[in-house]
PDB file of all heavy atoms in Angstrom:
ATOM      1  N   ASN Q  98     -15.066  -9.427  -1.710  1.00  0.00           N
ATOM      2  CA  ASN Q  98     -16.471  -9.123  -1.454  1.00  0.00           C
ATOM      3  C   ASN Q  98     -16.649  -7.747  -0.818  1.00  0.00           C
ATOM      4  O   ASN Q  98     -17.636  -7.047  -1.087  1.00  0.00           O
ATOM      5  CB  ASN Q  98     -17.092 -10.195  -0.563  1.00  0.00           C
ATOM      6  CG  ASN Q  98     -17.292 -11.507  -1.298  1.00  0.00           C
ATOM      7  OD1 ASN Q  98     -17.480 -11.525  -2.514  1.00  0.00           O
ATOM      8  ND2 ASN Q  98     -17.235 -12.619  -0.568  1.00  0.00           N
ATOM      9  N   GLU Q  99     -15.696  -7.341   0.040  1.00  0.00           N
ATOM     10  CA  GLU Q  99     -15.772  -6.016   0.656  1.00  0.00           C
ATOM     11  C   GLU Q  99     -15.622  -4.924  -0.395  1.00  0.00           C
ATOM     12  O   GLU Q  99     -16.386  -3.944  -0.409  1.00  0.00           O
ATOM     13  CB  GLU Q  99     -14.698  -5.880   1.737  1.00  0.00           C
ATOM     14  CG  GLU Q  99     -14.588  -4.485   2.340  1.00  0.00           C
ATOM     15  CD  GLU Q  99     -15.844  -4.021   3.052  1.00  0.00           C
ATOM     16  OE1 GLU Q  99     -16.692  -4.876   3.403  1.00  0.00           O
ATOM     17  OE2 GLU Q  99     -15.996  -2.792   3.255  1.00  0.00           O
ATOM     18  N   VAL Q 100     -14.640  -5.070  -1.290  1.00  0.00           N
ATOM     19  CA  VAL Q 100     -14.462  -4.084  -2.360  1.00  0.00           C
ATOM     20  C   VAL Q 100     -15.696  -4.057  -3.259  1.00  0.00           C
ATOM     21  O   VAL Q 100     -16.187  -2.990  -3.642  1.00  0.00           O
ATOM     22  CB  VAL Q 100     -13.192  -4.394  -3.182  1.00  0.00           C
ATOM     23  CG1 VAL Q 100     -13.073  -3.441  -4.377  1.00  0.00           C
ATOM     24  CG2 VAL Q 100     -11.943  -4.293  -2.312  1.00  0.00           C
ATOM     25  N   TYR Q 101     -16.214  -5.232  -3.576  1.00  0.00           N
ATOM     26  CA  TYR Q 101     -17.407  -5.321  -4.426  1.00  0.00           C
ATOM     27  C   TYR Q 101     -18.600  -4.624  -3.781  1.00  0.00           C
ATOM     28  O   TYR Q 101     -19.365  -3.913  -4.454  1.00  0.00           O
ATOM     29  CB  TYR Q 101     -17.727  -6.790  -4.684  1.00  0.00           C
ATOM     30  CG  TYR Q 101     -18.912  -7.023  -5.587  1.00  0.00           C
ATOM     31  CD1 TYR Q 101     -18.834  -6.777  -6.951  1.00  0.00           C
ATOM     32  CD2 TYR Q 101     -20.111  -7.510  -5.059  1.00  0.00           C
ATOM     33  CE1 TYR Q 101     -19.927  -7.011  -7.776  1.00  0.00           C
ATOM     34  CE2 TYR Q 101     -21.203  -7.746  -5.877  1.00  0.00           C
ATOM     35  CZ  TYR Q 101     -21.108  -7.492  -7.236  1.00  0.00           C
ATOM     36  OH  TYR Q 101     -22.196  -7.703  -8.049  1.00  0.00           O
ATOM     37  N   SER Q 102     -18.751  -4.791  -2.467  1.00  0.00           N
ATOM     38  CA  SER Q 102     -19.880  -4.167  -1.770  1.00  0.00           C
ATOM     39  C   SER Q 102     -19.755  -2.640  -1.779  1.00  0.00           C
ATOM     40  O   SER Q 102     -20.767  -1.932  -1.872  1.00  0.00           O
ATOM     41  CB  SER Q 102     -19.976  -4.685  -0.334  1.00  0.00           C
ATOM     42  OG  SER Q 102     -18.905  -4.203   0.461  1.00  0.00           O
ATOM     43  N   ILE Q 103     -18.529  -2.131  -1.683  1.00  0.00           N
ATOM     44  CA  ILE Q 103     -18.317  -0.683  -1.723  1.00  0.00           C
ATOM     45  C   ILE Q 103     -18.713  -0.137  -3.084  1.00  0.00           C
ATOM     46  O   ILE Q 103     -19.427   0.857  -3.201  1.00  0.00           O
ATOM     47  CB  ILE Q 103     -16.849  -0.348  -1.404  1.00  0.00           C
ATOM     48  CG1 ILE Q 103     -16.545  -0.645   0.076  1.00  0.00           C
ATOM     49  CG2 ILE Q 103     -16.539   1.116  -1.729  1.00  0.00           C
ATOM     50  CD1 ILE Q 103     -15.082  -0.540   0.436  1.00  0.00           C
ATOM     51  N   VAL Q 104     -18.241  -0.790  -4.136  1.00  0.00           N
ATOM     52  CA  VAL Q 104     -18.506  -0.330  -5.495  1.00  0.00           C
ATOM     53  C   VAL Q 104     -20.002  -0.344  -5.790  1.00  0.00           C
ATOM     54  O   VAL Q 104     -20.515   0.513  -6.529  1.00  0.00           O
ATOM     55  CB  VAL Q 104     -17.735  -1.204  -6.507  1.00  0.00           C
ATOM     56  CG1 VAL Q 104     -18.194  -0.937  -7.931  1.00  0.00           C
ATOM     57  CG2 VAL Q 104     -16.236  -0.950  -6.374  1.00  0.00           C
ATOM     58  N   ASN Q 105     -20.711  -1.316  -5.218  1.00  0.00           N
ATOM     59  CA  ASN Q 105     -22.129  -1.461  -5.521  1.00  0.00           C
ATOM     60  C   ASN Q 105     -23.050  -0.711  -4.565  1.00  0.00           C
ATOM     61  O   ASN Q 105     -24.268  -0.793  -4.697  1.00  0.00           O
ATOM     62  CB  ASN Q 105     -22.498  -2.947  -5.554  1.00  0.00           C
ATOM     63  CG  ASN Q 105     -22.089  -3.588  -6.855  1.00  0.00           C
ATOM     64  OD1 ASN Q 105     -22.834  -3.561  -7.825  1.00  0.00           O
ATOM     65  ND2 ASN Q 105     -20.886  -4.131  -6.889  1.00  0.00           N
ATOM     66  N   ASP Q 106     -22.477   0.025  -3.653  1.00  0.00           N
ATOM     67  CA  ASP Q 106     -23.238   0.924  -2.790  1.00  0.00           C
ATOM     68  C   ASP Q 106     -23.098   2.331  -3.375  1.00  0.00           C
ATOM     69  O   ASP Q 106     -22.008   2.904  -3.366  1.00  0.00           O
ATOM     70  CB  ASP Q 106     -22.691   0.865  -1.371  1.00  0.00           C
ATOM     71  CG  ASP Q 106     -23.463   1.732  -0.386  1.00  0.00           C
ATOM     72  OD1 ASP Q 106     -23.633   2.939  -0.682  1.00  0.00           O
ATOM     73  OD2 ASP Q 106     -23.860   1.227   0.664  1.00  0.00           O
ATOM     74  N   ARG Q 107     -24.181   2.878  -3.899  1.00  0.00           N
ATOM     75  CA  ARG Q 107     -24.103   4.151  -4.623  1.00  0.00           C
ATOM     76  C   ARG Q 107     -23.477   5.252  -3.776  1.00  0.00           C
ATOM     77  O   ARG Q 107     -22.618   6.014  -4.247  1.00  0.00           O
ATOM     78  CB  ARG Q 107     -25.493   4.581  -5.094  1.00  0.00           C
ATOM     79  CG  ARG Q 107     -25.488   5.863  -5.938  1.00  0.00           C
ATOM     80  CD  ARG Q 107     -26.890   6.173  -6.468  1.00  0.00           C
ATOM     81  NE  ARG Q 107     -26.871   7.370  -7.283  1.00  0.00           N
ATOM     82  CZ  ARG Q 107     -26.962   8.608  -6.799  1.00  0.00           C
ATOM     83  NH1 ARG Q 107     -27.066   8.797  -5.484  1.00  0.00           N
ATOM     84  NH2 ARG Q 107     -26.939   9.647  -7.611  1.00  0.00           N
ATOM     85  N   ASN Q 108     -23.875   5.353  -2.524  1.00  0.00           N
ATOM     86  CA  ASN Q 108     -23.356   6.395  -1.644  1.00  0.00           C
ATOM     87  C   ASN Q 108     -21.853   6.251  -1.449  1.00  0.00           C
ATOM     88  O   ASN Q 108     -21.088   7.223  -1.542  1.00  0.00           O
ATOM     89  CB  ASN Q 108     -24.068   6.337  -0.293  1.00  0.00           C
ATOM     90  CG  ASN Q 108     -23.530   7.361   0.688  1.00  0.00           C
ATOM     91  OD1 ASN Q 108     -23.518   8.562   0.423  1.00  0.00           O
ATOM     92  ND2 ASN Q 108     -23.061   6.889   1.841  1.00  0.00           N
ATOM     93  N   ARG Q 109     -21.410   5.018  -1.187  1.00  0.00           N
ATOM     94  CA  ARG Q 109     -19.982   4.805  -0.955  1.00  0.00           C
ATOM     95  C   ARG Q 109     -19.187   4.948  -2.245  1.00  0.00           C
ATOM     96  O   ARG Q 109     -18.064   5.469  -2.234  1.00  0.00           O
ATOM     97  CB  ARG Q 109     -19.752   3.436  -0.312  1.00  0.00           C
ATOM     98  CG  ARG Q 109     -20.356   3.344   1.081  1.00  0.00           C
ATOM     99  CD  ARG Q 109     -19.670   2.288   1.930  1.00  0.00           C
ATOM    100  NE  ARG Q 109     -20.032   0.934   1.540  1.00  0.00           N
ATOM    101  CZ  ARG Q 109     -19.504  -0.153   2.105  1.00  0.00           C
ATOM    102  NH1 ARG Q 109     -18.593  -0.041   3.056  1.00  0.00           N
ATOM    103  NH2 ARG Q 109     -19.891  -1.351   1.724  1.00  0.00           N
ATOM    104  N   ALA Q 110     -19.757   4.508  -3.365  1.00  0.00           N
ATOM    105  CA  ALA Q 110     -19.056   4.630  -4.646  1.00  0.00           C
ATOM    106  C   ALA Q 110     -18.816   6.094  -5.007  1.00  0.00           C
ATOM    107  O   ALA Q 110     -17.740   6.467  -5.491  1.00  0.00           O
ATOM    108  CB  ALA Q 110     -19.856   3.940  -5.754  1.00  0.00           C
ATOM    109  N   ILE Q 111     -19.816   6.939  -4.771  1.00  0.00           N
ATOM    110  CA  ILE Q 111     -19.665   8.372  -5.035  1.00  0.00           C
ATOM    111  C   ILE Q 111     -18.527   8.944  -4.196  1.00  0.00           C
ATOM    112  O   ILE Q 111     -17.718   9.758  -4.664  1.00  0.00           O
ATOM    113  CB  ILE Q 111     -20.990   9.113  -4.742  1.00  0.00           C
ATOM    114  CG1 ILE Q 111     -22.029   8.772  -5.813  1.00  0.00           C
ATOM    115  CG2 ILE Q 111     -20.767  10.626  -4.663  1.00  0.00           C
ATOM    116  CD1 ILE Q 111     -23.419   9.287  -5.498  1.00  0.00           C
ATOM    117  N   ARG Q 112     -18.431   8.515  -2.952  1.00  0.00           N
ATOM    118  CA  ARG Q 112     -17.384   9.012  -2.061  1.00  0.00           C
ATOM    119  C   ARG Q 112     -15.998   8.514  -2.488  1.00  0.00           C
ATOM    120  O   ARG Q 112     -15.009   9.238  -2.368  1.00  0.00           O
ATOM    121  CB  ARG Q 112     -17.698   8.598  -0.620  1.00  0.00           C
ATOM    122  CG  ARG Q 112     -18.902   9.355  -0.061  1.00  0.00           C
ATOM    123  CD  ARG Q 112     -19.439   8.710   1.210  1.00  0.00           C
ATOM    124  NE  ARG Q 112     -20.604   9.439   1.688  1.00  0.00           N
ATOM    125  CZ  ARG Q 112     -20.554  10.456   2.544  1.00  0.00           C
ATOM    126  NH1 ARG Q 112     -19.385  10.847   3.018  1.00  0.00           N
ATOM    127  NH2 ARG Q 112     -21.648  11.078   2.918  1.00  0.00           N
ATOM    128  N   VAL Q 113     -15.937   7.283  -2.970  1.00  0.00           N
ATOM    129  CA  VAL Q 113     -14.668   6.766  -3.486  1.00  0.00           C
ATOM    130  C   VAL Q 113     -14.193   7.615  -4.667  1.00  0.00           C
ATOM    131  O   VAL Q 113     -13.027   8.010  -4.745  1.00  0.00           O
ATOM    132  CB  VAL Q 113     -14.806   5.289  -3.905  1.00  0.00           C
ATOM    133  CG1 VAL Q 113     -13.613   4.846  -4.743  1.00  0.00           C
ATOM    134  CG2 VAL Q 113     -14.939   4.398  -2.681  1.00  0.00           C
ATOM    135  N   ILE Q 114     -15.109   7.902  -5.583  1.00  0.00           N
ATOM    136  CA  ILE Q 114     -14.757   8.700  -6.764  1.00  0.00           C
ATOM    137  C   ILE Q 114     -14.311  10.095  -6.350  1.00  0.00           C
ATOM    138  O   ILE Q 114     -13.288  10.612  -6.827  1.00  0.00           O
ATOM    139  CB  ILE Q 114     -15.953   8.782  -7.738  1.00  0.00           C
ATOM    140  CG1 ILE Q 114     -16.263   7.397  -8.309  1.00  0.00           C
ATOM    141  CG2 ILE Q 114     -15.658   9.773  -8.859  1.00  0.00           C
ATOM    142  CD1 ILE Q 114     -17.561   7.323  -9.067  1.00  0.00           C
ATOM    143  N   ALA Q 115     -15.061  10.725  -5.451  1.00  0.00           N
ATOM    144  CA  ALA Q 115     -14.730  12.082  -5.012  1.00  0.00           C
ATOM    145  C   ALA Q 115     -13.368  12.124  -4.322  1.00  0.00           C
ATOM    146  O   ALA Q 115     -12.555  13.028  -4.560  1.00  0.00           O
ATOM    147  CB  ALA Q 115     -15.816  12.614  -4.077  1.00  0.00           C
ATOM    148  N   THR Q 116     -13.109  11.138  -3.469  1.00  0.00           N
ATOM    149  CA  THR Q 116     -11.830  11.091  -2.766  1.00  0.00           C
ATOM    150  C   THR Q 116     -10.686  10.852  -3.736  1.00  0.00           C
ATOM    151  O   THR Q 116      -9.621  11.481  -3.642  1.00  0.00           O
ATOM    152  CB  THR Q 116     -11.843   9.991  -1.688  1.00  0.00           C
ATOM    153  OG1 THR Q 116     -12.939  10.211  -0.796  1.00  0.00           O
ATOM    154  CG2 THR Q 116     -10.554   9.994  -0.896  1.00  0.00           C
ATOM    155  N   SER Q 117     -10.893   9.945  -4.691  1.00  0.00           N
ATOM    156  CA  SER Q 117      -9.847   9.639  -5.674  1.00  0.00           C
ATOM    157  C   SER Q 117      -9.517  10.861  -6.525  1.00  0.00           C
ATOM    158  O   SER Q 117      -8.342  11.171  -6.762  1.00  0.00           O
ATOM    159  CB  SER Q 117     -10.294   8.489  -6.573  1.00  0.00           C
ATOM    160  OG  SER Q 117     -10.499   7.308  -5.830  1.00  0.00           O
ATOM    161  N   LYS Q 118     -10.544  11.570  -6.970  1.00  0.00           N
ATOM    162  CA  LYS Q 118     -10.303  12.767  -7.782  1.00  0.00           C
ATOM    163  C   LYS Q 118      -9.606  13.843  -6.973  1.00  0.00           C
ATOM    164  O   LYS Q 118      -8.731  14.557  -7.484  1.00  0.00           O
ATOM    165  CB  LYS Q 118     -11.633  13.289  -8.344  1.00  0.00           C
ATOM    166  CG  LYS Q 118     -12.219  12.409  -9.440  1.00  0.00           C
ATOM    167  CD  LYS Q 118     -13.498  13.013 -10.012  1.00  0.00           C
ATOM    168  CE  LYS Q 118     -14.012  12.188 -11.191  1.00  0.00           C
ATOM    169  NZ  LYS Q 118     -15.268  12.758 -11.753  1.00  0.00           N
ATOM    170  N   SER Q 119      -9.975  13.961  -5.712  1.00  0.00           N
ATOM    171  CA  SER Q 119      -9.326  14.929  -4.832  1.00  0.00           C
ATOM    172  C   SER Q 119      -7.848  14.591  -4.661  1.00  0.00           C
ATOM    173  O   SER Q 119      -6.986  15.479  -4.664  1.00  0.00           O
ATOM    174  CB  SER Q 119     -10.022  14.947  -3.473  1.00  0.00           C
ATOM    175  OG  SER Q 119      -9.279  15.674  -2.527  1.00  0.00           O
ATOM    176  N   ALA Q 120      -7.539  13.302  -4.521  1.00  0.00           N
ATOM    177  CA  ALA Q 120      -6.146  12.884  -4.358  1.00  0.00           C
ATOM    178  C   ALA Q 120      -5.327  13.230  -5.598  1.00  0.00           C
ATOM    179  O   ALA Q 120      -4.185  13.691  -5.486  1.00  0.00           O
ATOM    180  CB  ALA Q 120      -6.091  11.386  -4.079  1.00  0.00           C
ATOM    181  N   VAL Q 121      -5.899  13.020  -6.767  1.00  0.00           N
ATOM    182  CA  VAL Q 121      -5.186  13.356  -8.010  1.00  0.00           C
ATOM    183  C   VAL Q 121      -4.887  14.847  -8.065  1.00  0.00           C
ATOM    184  O   VAL Q 121      -3.806  15.274  -8.500  1.00  0.00           O
ATOM    185  CB  VAL Q 121      -6.014  12.908  -9.233  1.00  0.00           C
ATOM    186  CG1 VAL Q 121      -5.396  13.452 -10.518  1.00  0.00           C
ATOM    187  CG2 VAL Q 121      -6.108  11.382  -9.286  1.00  0.00           C
ATOM    188  N   ARG Q 122      -5.827  15.665  -7.597  1.00  0.00           N
ATOM    189  CA  ARG Q 122      -5.618  17.120  -7.600  1.00  0.00           C
ATOM    190  C   ARG Q 122      -4.507  17.538  -6.644  1.00  0.00           C
ATOM    191  O   ARG Q 122      -3.874  18.573  -6.836  1.00  0.00           O
ATOM    192  CB  ARG Q 122      -6.917  17.851  -7.230  1.00  0.00           C
ATOM    193  CG  ARG Q 122      -8.000  17.776  -8.294  1.00  0.00           C
ATOM    194  CD  ARG Q 122      -9.097  18.805  -8.033  1.00  0.00           C
ATOM    195  NE  ARG Q 122      -9.767  18.586  -6.761  1.00  0.00           N
ATOM    196  CZ  ARG Q 122     -10.839  17.802  -6.597  1.00  0.00           C
ATOM    197  NH1 ARG Q 122     -11.344  17.151  -7.639  1.00  0.00           N
ATOM    198  NH2 ARG Q 122     -11.404  17.677  -5.413  1.00  0.00           N
ATOM    199  N   HIS Q 123      -4.275  16.746  -5.614  1.00  0.00           N
ATOM    200  CA  HIS Q 123      -3.256  17.081  -4.614  1.00  0.00           C
ATOM    201  C   HIS Q 123      -1.942  16.366  -4.931  1.00  0.00           C
ATOM    202  O   HIS Q 123      -1.400  15.622  -4.123  1.00  0.00           O
ATOM    203  CB  HIS Q 123      -3.739  16.719  -3.204  1.00  0.00           C
ATOM    204  CG  HIS Q 123      -4.695  17.704  -2.627  1.00  0.00           C
ATOM    205  ND1 HIS Q 123      -6.045  17.674  -2.911  1.00  0.00           N
ATOM    206  CD2 HIS Q 123      -4.503  18.766  -1.803  1.00  0.00           C
ATOM    207  CE1 HIS Q 123      -6.647  18.662  -2.258  1.00  0.00           C
ATOM    208  NE2 HIS Q 123      -5.736  19.338  -1.587  1.00  0.00           N
ATOM    209  N   ASN Q 124      -1.429  16.590  -6.123  1.00  0.00           N
ATOM    210  CA  ASN Q 124      -0.122  16.052  -6.487  1.00  0.00           C
ATOM    211  C   ASN Q 124       0.958  16.814  -5.716  1.00  0.00           C
ATOM    212  O   ASN Q 124       0.951  18.042  -5.669  1.00  0.00           O
ATOM    213  CB  ASN Q 124       0.105  16.179  -7.993  1.00  0.00           C
ATOM    214  CG  ASN Q 124       1.367  15.476  -8.439  1.00  0.00           C
ATOM    215  OD1 ASN Q 124       2.479  15.954  -8.202  1.00  0.00           O
ATOM    216  ND2 ASN Q 124       1.211  14.340  -9.087  1.00  0.00           N
ATOM    217  N   LEU Q 125       1.884  16.085  -5.127  1.00  0.00           N
ATOM    218  CA  LEU Q 125       2.831  16.689  -4.188  1.00  0.00           C
ATOM    219  C   LEU Q 125       4.252  16.797  -4.737  1.00  0.00           C
ATOM    220  O   LEU Q 125       5.189  17.065  -3.986  1.00  0.00           O
ATOM    221  CB  LEU Q 125       2.849  15.872  -2.893  1.00  0.00           C
ATOM    222  CG  LEU Q 125       1.506  15.773  -2.168  1.00  0.00           C
ATOM    223  CD1 LEU Q 125       1.620  14.863  -0.955  1.00  0.00           C
ATOM    224  CD2 LEU Q 125       1.013  17.157  -1.747  1.00  0.00           C
ATOM    225  N   GLY Q 126       4.401  16.619  -6.042  1.00  0.00           N
ATOM    226  CA  GLY Q 126       5.727  16.616  -6.624  1.00  0.00           C
ATOM    227  C   GLY Q 126       6.554  17.853  -6.333  1.00  0.00           C
ATOM    228  O   GLY Q 126       7.776  17.770  -6.157  1.00  0.00           O
ATOM    229  N   ASP Q 127       5.902  19.004  -6.240  1.00  0.00           N
ATOM    230  CA  ASP Q 127       6.646  20.251  -6.014  1.00  0.00           C
ATOM    231  C   ASP Q 127       6.775  20.607  -4.536  1.00  0.00           C
ATOM    232  O   ASP Q 127       7.300  21.674  -4.197  1.00  0.00           O
ATOM    233  CB  ASP Q 127       5.979  21.407  -6.767  1.00  0.00           C
ATOM    234  CG  ASP Q 127       4.552  21.682  -6.294  1.00  0.00           C
ATOM    235  OD1 ASP Q 127       3.979  20.813  -5.597  1.00  0.00           O
ATOM    236  OD2 ASP Q 127       3.998  22.749  -6.626  1.00  0.00           O
ATOM    237  N   LYS Q 128       6.321  19.712  -3.646  1.00  0.00           N
ATOM    238  CA  LYS Q 128       6.359  20.002  -2.207  1.00  0.00           C
ATOM    239  C   LYS Q 128       7.225  19.029  -1.412  1.00  0.00           C
ATOM    240  O   LYS Q 128       7.596  19.310  -0.270  1.00  0.00           O
ATOM    241  CB  LYS Q 128       4.940  19.996  -1.623  1.00  0.00           C
ATOM    242  CG  LYS Q 128       4.017  21.060  -2.219  1.00  0.00           C
ATOM    243  CD  LYS Q 128       2.642  20.982  -1.590  1.00  0.00           C
ATOM    244  CE  LYS Q 128       1.720  22.091  -2.105  1.00  0.00           C
ATOM    245  NZ  LYS Q 128       1.434  21.951  -3.543  1.00  0.00           N
ATOM    246  N   LEU Q 129       7.550  17.891  -1.988  1.00  0.00           N
ATOM    247  CA  LEU Q 129       8.215  16.835  -1.230  1.00  0.00           C
ATOM    248  C   LEU Q 129       9.597  17.235  -0.731  1.00  0.00           C
ATOM    249  O   LEU Q 129      10.060  16.718   0.292  1.00  0.00           O
ATOM    250  CB  LEU Q 129       8.311  15.564  -2.080  1.00  0.00           C
ATOM    251  CG  LEU Q 129       6.971  14.912  -2.453  1.00  0.00           C
ATOM    252  CD1 LEU Q 129       7.203  13.699  -3.345  1.00  0.00           C
ATOM    253  CD2 LEU Q 129       6.184  14.511  -1.205  1.00  0.00           C
ATOM    254  N   HIS Q 130      10.258  18.173  -1.415  1.00  0.00           N
ATOM    255  CA  HIS Q 130      11.587  18.603  -0.971  1.00  0.00           C
ATOM    256  C   HIS Q 130      11.533  19.306   0.384  1.00  0.00           C
ATOM    257  O   HIS Q 130      12.562  19.465   1.045  1.00  0.00           O
ATOM    258  CB  HIS Q 130      12.226  19.532  -2.008  1.00  0.00           C
ATOM    259  CG  HIS Q 130      11.530  20.850  -2.138  1.00  0.00           C
ATOM    260  ND1 HIS Q 130      10.379  21.008  -2.893  1.00  0.00           N
ATOM    261  CD2 HIS Q 130      11.797  22.079  -1.596  1.00  0.00           C
ATOM    262  CE1 HIS Q 130       9.981  22.272  -2.820  1.00  0.00           C
ATOM    263  NE2 HIS Q 130      10.817  22.933  -2.042  1.00  0.00           N
ATOM    264  N   ASN Q 131      10.332  19.699   0.804  1.00  0.00           N
ATOM    265  CA  ASN Q 131      10.174  20.388   2.096  1.00  0.00           C
ATOM    266  C   ASN Q 131      10.117  19.422   3.277  1.00  0.00           C
ATOM    267  O   ASN Q 131      10.159  19.861   4.433  1.00  0.00           O
ATOM    268  CB  ASN Q 131       8.907  21.244   2.081  1.00  0.00           C
ATOM    269  CG  ASN Q 131       9.004  22.404   1.109  1.00  0.00           C
ATOM    270  OD1 ASN Q 131      10.027  23.083   1.048  1.00  0.00           O
ATOM    271  ND2 ASN Q 131       7.942  22.635   0.343  1.00  0.00           N
ATOM    272  N   ILE Q 132      10.005  18.130   3.019  1.00  0.00           N
ATOM    273  CA  ILE Q 132       9.933  17.159   4.107  1.00  0.00           C
ATOM    274  C   ILE Q 132      11.329  16.961   4.685  1.00  0.00           C
ATOM    275  O   ILE Q 132      12.259  16.555   3.977  1.00  0.00           O
ATOM    276  CB  ILE Q 132       9.342  15.825   3.624  1.00  0.00           C
ATOM    277  CG1 ILE Q 132       7.870  16.019   3.236  1.00  0.00           C
ATOM    278  CG2 ILE Q 132       9.467  14.745   4.704  1.00  0.00           C
ATOM    279  CD1 ILE Q 132       7.200  14.775   2.708  1.00  0.00           C
TER     280      ILE Q 132
END
């Protein structure tokens, strides 16, 4: 029900999409060797 409420709240859904797309852009494959 919590996940459903997030998806059905337009403001929160937009933020989920924006955050998810941002995460995809920040692929760390070429940086992990620095840890």
Side-chain angles (χ1 to χ4, degrees):
N98 288 331
E99 174 62 19
V100 175
Y101 182 73
S102 70
I103 291 171
V104 169
N105 281 273
D106 182 307
R107 184 175 181 275
N108 178 57
R109 295 204 286 177
I111 289 171
R112 290 165 182 270
V113 166
I114 294 169
T116 304
S117 298
K118 288 183 175 179
S119 169
V121 171
R122 290 195 299 271
H123 282 83
N124 187 286
L125 300 176
D127 62 345
K128 298 180 176 65
L129 295 178
H130 67 279
N131 293 316
I132 293 178

